[in-house]
Amino acid sequence: MKTKKAPLFLSMALAASLMAVPAQAAVTAPGDGETPVTIKAEATTFSVTVPTAIPLTVKADGNVEVPSGLKIVNESAGKVKVSAITATDGTWTLVDYNNGDRANLAKDKVDAKKLGLSLTAGGSAVTSTGSSALTTVDSAKWVMEGKGTGTTNELPITVGAIATAVSQAATFDGDQAAAKVVFTLAWDN
């Protein structure tokens, strides 16, 4: 038995084409005709790149060399903010950054492994105040525009650090990282 598939395909194609045509509104008398604007919106992709490491070097004189060029980059279409920053002790203990004054740390024993940290962006600093504690983020200042807006979608970060002296050269990274910083990001609504 032969079946006729052509009429079925034609009727399906006609039905599909009718779905794509917007409905028409008729104005039957002089005056206004209202036409709604409809939108089918897809959620934008949230894509932000944060630094993979904050490399510090404790120099022989006890001063800390900090990195330059650290930044957070917003690759999303919309405005994004850093809503929180947390830090946890690693193999070192976080202490009060003390405005960058290491006088208190200079009194500690060598190899005490204490670290004070400051991160500044948009003129707003977040500093360590003690073990695993940071000051609150001013999320109005830690903001990046969306990509393609004609303004910068990058947020430069300035790092400050103080640390106790060490008796031997060593590297503290990976599982032995001195501390860990977590950036919490959100849409800037």
Side-chain angles (χ1 to χ4, degrees):
M1 171 154 95
K2 281 188 168 182
T3 59
K4 294 184 180 182
K5 295 181 182 177
L8 177 63
F9 288 127
L10 286 174
S11 59
M12 288 174 52
L14 179 62
S17 68
L18 290 175
M19 286 189 257
V21 176
Q24 301 290 321
V27 179
T28 57
D32 297 337
E34 184 177 287
T35 302
V37 176
T38 62
I39 294 177
K40 179 181 177 184
E42 294 180 358
T44 189
T45 302
F46 192 94
S47 178
V48 181
T49 303
V50 298
T52 56
I54 302 173
L56 306 174
T57 302
V58 179
K59 305 300 273 180
D61 64 3
N63 289 313
V64 179
E65 185 177 286
V66 297
S68 60
L70 283 181
K71 61 187 169 186
I72 299 173
V73 181
N74 179 13
E75 298 293 337
S76 307
K79 203 173 193 180
V80 170
K81 67 181 175 183
V82 177
S83 58
I85 300 174
T86 56
T88 56
D89 295 344
T91 55
W92 289 54
T93 302
L94 288 168
V95 297
D96 187 356
Y97 178 65
N98 197 28
N99 294 317
D101 181 359
R102 70 173 301 276
N104 291 341
L105 293 182
K107 296 174 186 174
D108 280 320
K109 293 180 180 181
V110 172
D111 294 327
K113 293 185 181 174
K114 293 182 180 178
L115 170 68
L117 190 60
S118 172
L119 304 172
T120 303
S124 173
V126 175
T127 61
S128 59
T129 57
S131 186
S132 300
L134 293 174
T135 56
T136 305
V137 174
D138 179 354
S139 58
K141 305 236 176 161
W142 286 68
V143 175
M144 292 144 285
E145 297 294 331
K147 183 177 183 179
T149 59
T151 58
T152 184
N153 61 322
E154 297 180 352
L155 184 66
I157 300 172
T158 303
V159 178
I162 57 174
T164 53
V166 295
S167 63
Q168 296 180 20
T171 301
F172 301 92
D173 61 6
D175 291 344
Q176 299 298 309
K180 299 212 176 171
V181 174
V182 176
F183 296 96
T184 302
L185 301 145
W187 295 116
D188 185 37
N189 297 332

